[in-house]
Structures are given as structure tokens and as C-alpha cells.
Amino acid sequence: MAGPAARLLRWFRAAARPFPWREPFPRDPYRTLVAEVMLQQTQAARVAPFYQRFLAAFPTLEALAAAPQEEVVRHFSGLGYYRRARLLHATCRTLLRRGGWPPPGELQSLEGLGSYTAAALAAFCFGGSEPPLDGNLLRIAARLLAHEAPLRAASLRRDAAALGRALYLEAGTPEVFEALMDLGAQVCRPVSPRCPDCPLKGSCRAFQLGEPQRFPTVPATRPVTSLLWVAVWIRSRSGAVLLQRRPPGELLAGLWLPPLRPVLPPAADPCAVARELARSLGFAGSLQALPAVRHSITYRRLTVVPFALGAEAPRVAEKREDQRWECPDTPGVPTSSLLSKLAAAAGQGASGGPPATTTPGDPP
DNA sequence: AACCCGGGGGT
DNA sequence: ACCCCAGGGTT
């Protein structure tokens, strides 16, 4: 073995990033499943701490399957794409019910496992040889072959799969798949690739053309839309904050956040909307505008203006299934990082600089 | 095939 | 400000 795969593996063994899911092959399928689901559309360095905490809470497939779904989602809080957690929970229950793992070729029938995750599990745990097609391999293939197409094009997927198979055939270990991912993350990066350091530059058409950046082509980006919301931040004497479960079908569905309401039209007065929201919850009293918080959800840019309820608020809200009091620092329910941003804004408003008494401006 | 979903890191 | 991330499900 002296071809590209050998150079790639040599580079990888010297430069590999240490990640907690990188155990010897074949790997434990449960832990690998957790890692691969978390890694979907999420940068590996960000996954690592979530992965460790998650496995400490759910060390085995049986432990995860026995837990309520909300507990599983709670351990995803801040990671995004929360449907992943619900589907992971469903898959673990499916596995327990059917008494074990299906044949590697049928992994994709499990909830939340698409072609990438099924191939990764098969390769890392069950001796599979089909390459997991992730964004890294697709980009590397586009450049090696000077394949001018968007990342998701079917033609590029075919070529990338063929490239992955050829490299696996030469290497004989699923380590090449991880090597490709690290190469894509560290060398063959989307912007400013480090071609001089690349172990595959000798076989790279894009490098020979001198324009690695041109591949793959970038699809038209969806325009970003701005939204303005208000939140009411209602604190109890013990420091708990009123949270509501986001309704299904809306953004951040199923997660627990302070009462939120869109400001429509965007030119409307956020303060009036917040007053009406507080009134609908049974709270009267003065509202204090806090510093606005920004939060991005795919192509939407949210500006959330929190309003703190004054001290004359009633102590209890109406008892509802979708409503509860939680400490914002250690919530016992699934939530989003938007909660900690709002908590930070409330903290600043209370102890930091001068409180905002005027209505904040519209979002950009 | 196109669209939707969280959140943040890197440039 | 912009890109995109170890994608999958739905329409």
C-alpha cells in the first residue's frame, strides 16, 4: 500500500484530533450511535462536551431507552436540531424491542439514521465498507476530481462514494473515513484550504488547476429574514423563572422558554405587545425593557426583547400543563441556549449598567 | 429536488 | 457578514 490512502493515513496518525468517541475498531454501536447523531450538522469540537455529559447520564442503550424522552432532549439543550434527540430515543426503544441491532444493511430503517449515519455505524462498528458521505468527503471529492457541482448534487455523491470505496479498498480500515473527515476539517477546508500541507495534493485536480476554492460550487444562499419577538421575564422570589413549552409546529417546538410572542408588524410597539402578553398570562404591573438578545435559527435572525415584570407581580401563575417555574441556570426541562441569553440580559439589567427604560429599536 | 430545522465557530 | 458544519425528514 503506497498510494494516496497510505499518505492519508500517515498524515492522519500524526495530526488526528483527539475526540472521546475515537475508540479502537470495532466500536461500541451504542456510543457510536450517540456520537454520530450528535455530529449531524454540528462541528465535532462542539459535540465533545455534550457527548461526555450525555454518556454519563445514559451510559447504555438500556438506560437511554428507559428514560423519558424529555430527559433525553434535555441533555441536548443547546446543541440544536432537537428532533435528533427524539429520534435517537425512538431508535433505542426500537432496538430494545427488537432485541438487538439489525443487519448492517438495514440500519437506515432506524429512526434518525440516514445514509450517512447508517454507513458510519456500519463501518465503525460492524465491518461495513460503504463510505459515510459527509460534507468533508463530498468537498474533498469535488476538489480531487475538479467536479464542478453543488455539494448535494447526485453526480458528486456518486463520485465521492467511488472515491471513498477506492480509498477504503487500499487502506483496509475504516480509519480512512475518519482521516478524510479530519482532512476536510483541518486541511481541505471550505475556505482557505491548506493545500501545501495536504497529503493528497499530488492527486488533486483542483490543486493542479490552482483554484481549489472553486470546488464545490456554492448554491444560492437563502435570504436571511429578521424577526422581532418579545419575551416576558417573570422571576419568582426563589429565583425561578416562568417557562412555557413551545407549541408543536413552531420554532423551538417542545422546548421550555419564557413566554414569547412575535411583534407583528415589526414596526409595532414591542412594549405594548409585551404588556398584552403579560396581561394574557394574568400578570399586571410595570414592565422594564432589558437589553435585546440575538438568536439565529437557520436562515432566521431573531431579535428578542425581554421585559422584566416589576416587583408587584402576583406570586403564582395559573397552573397549566405547558407552564412551570424553573431556575434558568439549571433547568430541569429541555431548553435552548436562547434561555441563557435571556438570563444574561436579565442579569445585566438587574445588576449591571443602567436599565433600559426606552423601547429598543427594530431589528436590523 | 427543495425546504426546514439550532447554534456557533472560523474567516 | 458570511459560510458551513462528521444530515435527516418531509413535501
Side-chain angles (χ1 to χ4, degrees), chain A residues 180-231:
Chain A
L180 285 165
M181 297 178 200
D182 261 32
L183 189 73
Q186 302 193 80
V187 175
C188 198
R189 303 179 293 188
V191 295
S192 52
R194 297 164 41 199
C195 296
D197 299 334
C198 182
L200 303 183
K201 64 185 170 196
S203 354
C204 183
R205 288 259 300 128
F207 179 63
Q208 291 161 8
L209 294 171
E211 297 184 282
Q213 293 251 40
R214 196 149 67 77
F215 310 92
T217 59
V218 288
T221 63
R222 197 193 165 114
V224 175
T225 65
S226 292
L227 279 65
L228 178 63
W229 288 4
V230 295

Side-chain angles (χ1 to χ4, degrees), chain A residues 6-46:
Chain A
R7 284 191 291 278
L8 175 59
L9 283 179
R10 195 173 324 122
W11 171 85
F12 179 61
R13 285 166 183 160
R17 301 171 296 173
F19 289 125
W21 50 85
R22 288 190 168 164
E23 302 177 9
F25 302 113
R27 292 180 183 160
D28 172 72
Y30 167 68
R31 288 196 294 277
T32 304
L33 172 66
V34 170
E36 293 303 339
V37 167
M38 288 186 170
L39 285 162
Q40 290 167 5
Q41 246 2 70
T42 307
Q43 294 188 342
R46 240 179 77 65

Side-chain angles (χ1 to χ4, degrees), chain A residues 300-314:
Chain A
R300 296 181 181 93
R301 186 180 309 277
L302 303 186
T303 301
V304 183
V305 185
F307 287 83
L309 199 63
E312 60 272 33

Side-chain angles (χ1 to χ4, degrees), chain A residues 86-220:
Chain A
R86 302 185 181 106
L87 295 174
L88 171 63
H89 183 248
T91 276
C92 287
R93 293 202 162 174
T94 297
L95 288 171
L96 218 59
R97 175 159 33 81
R98 70 187 299 291
W101 292 84
E106 294 173 22
L107 286 168
Q108 208 173 329
S109 66
L110 295 168
E111 296 95 327
L113 274 70
S115 60
Y116 165 79
T117 310
L121 262 180
F124 297 149
C125 307
F126 300 114
S129 59
E130 277 302 296
L133 284 189
D134 71 328
N136 292 303
L137 178 48
L138 290 170
R139 183 174 56 258
I140 291 169
R143 289 175 178 166
L144 284 180
L145 309 171
H147 189 127
E148 214 158 335
L151 214 55
R152 308 182 68 132
S155 60
L156 178 55
R157 294 186 67 85
R158 277 195 303 275
D159 285 0
L163 172 66
R165 281 187 209 105
L167 289 171
Y168 179 82
L169 198 64
E170 184 190 340
T173 164
E175 200 178 356
V176 278
F177 299 140
E178 261 179 342
L180 285 165
M181 297 178 200
D182 261 32
L183 189 73
Q186 302 193 80
V187 175
C188 198
R189 303 179 293 188
V191 295
S192 52
R194 297 164 41 199
C195 296
D197 299 334
C198 182
L200 303 183
K201 64 185 170 196
S203 354
C204 183
R205 288 259 300 128
F207 179 63
Q208 291 161 8
L209 294 171
E211 297 184 282
Q213 293 251 40
R214 196 149 67 77
F215 310 92
T217 59
V218 288

